[in-house]
Amino acid sequence: MKTKQKEFVRGYGYQGGGSREGWARGMHMSGFGADFKNSLKRPGPWRMSIGGFGECLPNHDNYVEVQKDKLDAWGIPTLKINCAWGENEHAMSRDIVVQAAEMLAASGAKDIYAFQEISPPGLAIHEMGTARMGRDPKSSVLNEHNQAHDMKNVFMTDGACHGLQFPASTHPSRTWR
């Protein structure tokens, strides 16, 4: 097992659980009659599943833009979300699968089926960082105080500003992540 990962930066975690097939498995089985019904009274085999979730690096190619020419049913401009995983996230996803299979095998699991299916951004975890910080209102939404450039009394207080880096020289006593 590897002790130092060099193909990607940051980290990931796992979630998993065990379950046992119940009577509903009969919907996908052929059979009928008393023997078939009685077979469904006995629980099916135990199964274990494990899935990984990793950190996404800030990426200036990911952004949200207002589409003023495309309105929703209430006349409000819609959003166009431009977001994709980078090579770092793909490398991390590959490692998640390998390490999960190794952990299951080391714990004595049998019939391990490992697969890599990376979900689209936003479907598995709570990505943050959609409100870009910066000095220039043309390329950012917020200043270094999480204050909107265009509306001086509006501050972002959620995770929208997280995940972005602001130059350390602005606040030497703070680290922006």
Side-chain angles (χ1 to χ4, degrees), residues 9 22 24 57 62-63 80 86 90 130 135 144 156 166:
V9 296
L57 295 181
N62 292 337
Y63 60 94
K80 181 179 180 186
H90 285 285
T130 56
R135 290 189 181 95
E144 68 270 23
M156 291 281 188
F166 202 84

Side-chain angles (χ1 to χ4, degrees), residues 63-92:
Y63 60 94
V64 177
E65 59 187 318
V66 176
Q67 298 184 109
K68 293 179 181 177
D69 58 334
K70 188 172 182 182
L71 307 178
D72 67 11
W74 297 272
I76 299 171
T78 59
L79 296 178
K80 181 179 180 186
I81 299 172
N82 302 283
C83 188
W85 298 125
E87 183 49 41
N88 192 74
E89 289 78 26
H90 285 285
M92 184 183 296

Side-chain angles (χ1 to χ4, degrees), residues 132-134 141-149 152 166:
R132 188 166 288 159
M133 297 174 87
V141 176
L142 306 174
N143 67 19
E144 68 270 23
H145 304 293
N146 288 5
Q147 182 180 29
H149 287 296
K152 294 300 177 191
F166 202 84

Side-chain angles (χ1 to χ4, degrees), residues 15-34:
Q15 293 179 160
S19 63
R20 201 167 186 185
E21 291 181 339
W23 63 268
R25 72 184 184 278
M27 293 185 294
H28 306 290
M29 297 169 58
S30 60
F32 61 94

